[in-house]
Amino acid sequence: MNFKTPTRRPGLRFALATTVACILAAPAMAQDVITVTAQQRAQSSQDVPISLQVLDSEFIDSVAADDMGDLDAFVPGLDVSNGSPTQPRYSIRGITTSDFGVGTDPAVGIYVDGIYAARSGASLLAFNDIERIEVLKGPQGTLFGRNSAAGAVSIVTRAPSDELEGRLALRLGSHNRVRTEGMINIPITDNLAVRANFLSNKADGWLTDAVTGEDYRRENGSADRITVRWNATPSTEILLRHSRDNISQDARPAIGIVDLPAYPATPALPVDSSTYLDPFNAPIRNDVAINRESRDLAETTLTIHQDIGAVTLTSLTSYREFSTMNREDEDGTKRIDTYFDTSNVEENEAFYQEFRLAGTSGPVDWLIGASYYDETADQVSETHTYTDTVNTVLGNLGAGTPFTDLEYGLLVPFGLSYTMLGHSWSENMYNHGEFTASAIYADMIWSVTDRMNLSVGLRYTEDEKSFQWINGSRQADSLDQTLAALDGAGILGLAGASPADFQFDFVFDLAPLAGVACDNGVNVAENVACIQQDSWSNLSPRVVLDYQLTDNIMVYGSFSEGYKAGGFNSVEVGSRFENETVTNWEFGFKSDFINPDLIFNMSVFSYLYEGKQSVRLVVPTGGGIPQYLVQTSDDEAIGVDLELDWSASEALRLYGNAQWLDSTHKRRVDSNGADLAGEPTGEPYWNLAVGAEYVIDWGDHGDLTLQANHAYRGETRCNSQSVLQGTCGGYAAFDTGEARNRTDLRLRWAAPNGNLTVSAFANNVFDSQYVEGVNNITADTLGTPFATISTPRVLGVEIGYDF
């Protein structure tokens, strides 16, 4: 396979040519647009010189979205992997964090009502009573702070209103999905109002185990929020929110893609990828002992807005705690001699406080602020298997087969009532992290003239982290009891063995790290707490110049930087890595017209991502147990964002968004020593989403709305590392990283007064499914690679009543 980067510029020339043509053809005037807070100020989205996309509640409903993972296809440049909702990964413009360990941070900042949701386990929340979602592309270090190096996703929930109102909704869909939602808003006095909502979402699975007939991918989630708004004085507004979000569902199943020989023969090594099975037809065989993914999250936030003359003081306070558990099958065989599963367990507490002053002084709109963040996180990375599998791995690695040698060479021939097989075996890595971050920032928008604005901002951040690893001895209680009995009877001695010969780790083997010093005065060793401490600081600037070229066209240019704090790899004891920075240049325009009613926006951007830390599955030189290790690279990219929204008539609206991106490694050496400089990072050239809405007015019978949305993600651009990670490449039976298409349709009837709505929808109407990736975690030791696939078509109806 040839991994050379294709010719780079035709896509960009096409985008620029299309832009120029649209500008020349577009007439003048203006239209109303959505108000956003992308710059921590209430502004028209068309007045914000940032590339952003806004998704309102109507669009969220139109695609029957449950969380951000259902929307990313319609936001070009945003990618959200929600196959495991407790471990989602966000990417904007090709910038992402591949690690879900508590020792590192995401590159995309997720904010709910202005509060930072740090850990991935708390960032993919159910949509209940959402007002809008703002997706800000490019570094947002000045306005949103640390860990927004790629961009930010700001989710805004609805605040209590002064009207008595409520909503009940029921959604029924494929796989026996039942989603119920309710909301009540009560104005108690002229100054006090309460808004409460709840959500329950359940569904059966759409994958079936070939052996047991059990369904997988079952869902069971609930969420609720209560918000109190108190206008304590004419100049004081207080918002108190308490929310919960819980899930308890199946973990990701493993679809084995190799033929299994009859027991006791094991899969051949090395794996022959030309014989892979088609994941859509391969039998599913999972036997994970506890197949569960769960999250329990609770958060309380207090927001205070206080007007002090011409200045507004805002205080944001939050306390969040959550726990997650995700135990997954990692072999897809349903056999004890190739059994392997992993579990990620996390407990997290976080406190956040921010103060912000904002005001206007002559031609300057300014704000200054300070924030403090404190987090405590505990994580256990668990691995579970059996002595049968340990024996298989050791045999495949050329280290002998001690368990079967004793079983069939000594115990069985002499009729001894002991066995070396069937004993459970687990190895765990325990992590504890304490993290704090403090920041001060300032930002101003100076109206240089009535058409020109200069925005300047700067944020200073200090991060301090303390991280601990403890790798205990492997746990195999029943095996140890058997070994003790055999040793006491002198039987092990006949074989020239002792119980100590079986006291070893084969997953978290720390022998290669012997002698690595820890900050608490010890060296890395089993059963020894290794603590590393570090601190980082950063200045994140932004400078934006925008000019109102005509009454309808604004042009702008910007320079901004984003920062992601350094950290630690949770399964690589004693590791640490430095902070990451993204430097971004962007030039664009925003235009809105009334004849025709048209919005057309475009931006051209270029960024350099320095010190990018990626966690990759690495096979040690000479073979052995694969390890998740941190690898560093510098990446660079150029790209174009396009947005179009055209109300062609009172009944017809057309809209679309697109991104063209050329992202390559500027500096990177992969795990095999290959230089990947100049090769693509894996991001496709094109992502686009288009849609249409047509409204039929039936007068006294209400109105009927037809909606169609289509999303396209281009083919993944491969390099040798992405093939190794299973995210890109072709096999005889299937491809990974192929171009994706998704089409959603919705038909909605609304009563004349708008209170009653009835909708029918089809998501992924053409039932386009794709192989999401090949997982090689057990490929080199057990010969058991497996795959995951995307969701099938979903049909449903929804009834809503508003009062």
Side-chain angles (χ1 to χ4, degrees), residues 351-605:
F351 171 79
Y352 181 78
Q353 176 64 56
E354 180 176 357
F355 294 105
R356 184 188 307 149
L357 279 172
T360 301
S361 301
V364 177
D365 183 335
W366 58 267
L367 65 86
I368 59 174
S371 66
Y372 175 77
Y373 177 78
D374 186 280
E375 178 186 3
T376 300
D378 290 281
Q379 181 179 38
V380 185
S381 300
E382 302 177 341
T383 64
H384 306 272
T385 187
Y386 292 91
T387 51
D388 311 60
T389 301
V390 177
N391 195 76
T392 301
V393 171
L394 294 176
N396 288 338
L397 296 178
T401 52
F403 295 98
T404 52
D405 289 349
L406 279 173
E407 183 81 8
Y408 299 113
L410 187 62
L411 302 183
V412 173
F414 288 94
L416 300 175
S417 58
Y418 297 98
T419 180
M420 298 296 291
L421 302 176
H423 300 288
S424 64
W425 177 299
S426 64
E427 299 178 27
N428 303 325
M429 181 72 72
Y430 298 88
N431 301 122
H432 175 78
E434 296 181 1
F435 318 123
T436 61
S438 304
I440 56 174
Y441 63 93
D443 190 83
M444 73 164 193
I445 303 175
W446 173 32
S447 297
V448 181
T449 70
D450 58 351
R451 288 186 175 271
M452 180 186 295
N453 295 313
L454 175 65
S455 302
V456 180
L458 186 67
R459 178 184 292 257
Y460 175 75
T461 306
E462 287 189 353
D463 278 278
E464 294 185 358
K465 293 187 178 184
S466 173
F467 198 72
Q468 174 181 280
W469 298 262
I470 298 180
N471 175 38
S473 302
R474 65 101 178 103
Q475 299 174 19
D477 293 342
S478 63
L479 171 64
D480 289 338
Q481 293 169 10
T482 299
L483 291 170
L486 292 173
D487 188 53
I491 297 172
L492 274 184
L494 294 176
S498 70
D501 294 329
F502 298 88
Q503 289 289 341
F504 59 87
D505 284 2
F506 80 103
V507 177
F508 296 124
D509 180 11
L510 301 187
L513 299 174
V516 173
C518 306
D519 290 342
N520 57 328
V522 301
N523 290 338
V524 173
E526 195 171 80
N527 290 307
V528 173
C530 174
I531 299 176
Q532 301 283 44
Q533 296 176 316
D534 216 330
S535 62
W536 300 268
S537 62
N538 174 262
L539 278 171
S540 294
R542 80 163 186 146
V543 180
V544 186
L545 183 67
D546 66 81
Y547 184 77
Q548 200 70 34
L549 195 62
T550 71
D551 290 343
N552 317 106
I553 301 175
M554 177 186 73
V555 295
Y556 66 90
S558 70
F559 167 81
S560 62
E561 288 189 354
Y563 159 71
K564 176 184 164 185
F568 315 92
N569 180 3
S570 60
V571 294
E572 187 180 354
V573 182
S575 66
R576 75 176 86 206
F577 50 85
E578 295 304 315
N579 58 300
E580 307 168 32
T581 59
V582 178
T583 303
N584 187 83
W585 292 89
E586 189 160 339
F587 301 92
F589 70 85
K590 293 193 171 185
S591 61
D592 55 279
F593 309 92
I594 201 169
N595 185 25
D597 198 350
L598 174 71
I599 288 177
F600 183 66
N601 302 327
M602 172 197 155
S603 66
V604 179
F605 61 87

Side-chain angles (χ1 to χ4, degrees), residues 179-297:
R179 183 183 189 272
T180 57
E181 184 177 3
M183 181 276 294
I184 183 72
N185 186 97
I186 304 174
I188 298 175
T189 68
D190 290 343
N191 299 319
L192 184 65
V194 177
R195 190 180 188 96
N197 60 79
F198 74 89
L199 171 70
S200 173
N201 192 16
K202 299 180 180 181
D204 292 342
W206 48 272
L207 292 171
T208 303
D209 193 286
V211 178
T212 65
E214 184 179 9
D215 285 341
Y216 296 131
R217 286 299 196 185
R218 291 165 292 195
E219 299 179 38
N220 185 7
S222 64
D224 56 73
R225 182 187 308 109
I226 183 168
T227 306
V228 179
R229 191 206 71 214
W230 178 33
N231 296 107
T233 72
S235 59
T236 307
E237 180 189 69
I238 299 174
L239 287 168
L240 179 64
R241 296 181 175 92
H242 180 74
S243 60
R244 298 185 305 167
D245 191 293
N246 303 305
I247 60 172
S248 179
Q249 62 185 46
D250 292 336
R252 178 267 303 146
I255 304 176
I257 52 175
V258 293
D259 274 321
L260 296 178
Y263 184 85
T266 56
L269 280 175
V271 175
D272 183 0
S273 61
S274 67
T275 64
Y276 280 173
L277 305 176
D278 183 352
F280 293 101
N281 300 317
I284 300 173
R285 304 184 183 98
N286 280 204
D287 54 357
V288 59
I290 303 175
N291 176 22
R292 185 164 69 93
E293 182 171 16
S294 63
R295 175 183 62 213
D296 294 300
L297 180 145

Side-chain angles (χ1 to χ4, degrees), residues 652-726:
L652 177 63
R653 177 186 170 213
L654 304 173
Y655 44 89
N657 294 272
Q659 180 184 94
W660 180 86
L661 179 71
D662 182 13
S663 175
T664 58
H665 293 301
K666 183 177 182 180
R667 176 188 62 84
R668 183 171 182 185
V669 177
D670 75 4
S671 57
N672 297 317
D675 187 356
L676 301 182
E679 292 198 21
T681 63
E683 294 301 310
Y685 277 126
W686 282 101
N687 285 275
L688 62 89
V690 295
E693 177 183 289
Y694 189 77
V695 180
I696 301 174
D697 186 354
W698 282 359
D700 294 339
H701 300 290
D703 57 62
L704 193 67
T705 302
L706 295 83
Q707 284 183 315
N709 295 294
H710 181 79
Y712 168 81
R713 177 180 173 85
E715 182 180 6
T716 299
R717 300 170 60 205
C718 297
N719 60 48
S720 57
Q721 184 64 210
S722 60
V723 173
L724 176 64
Q725 300 302 318

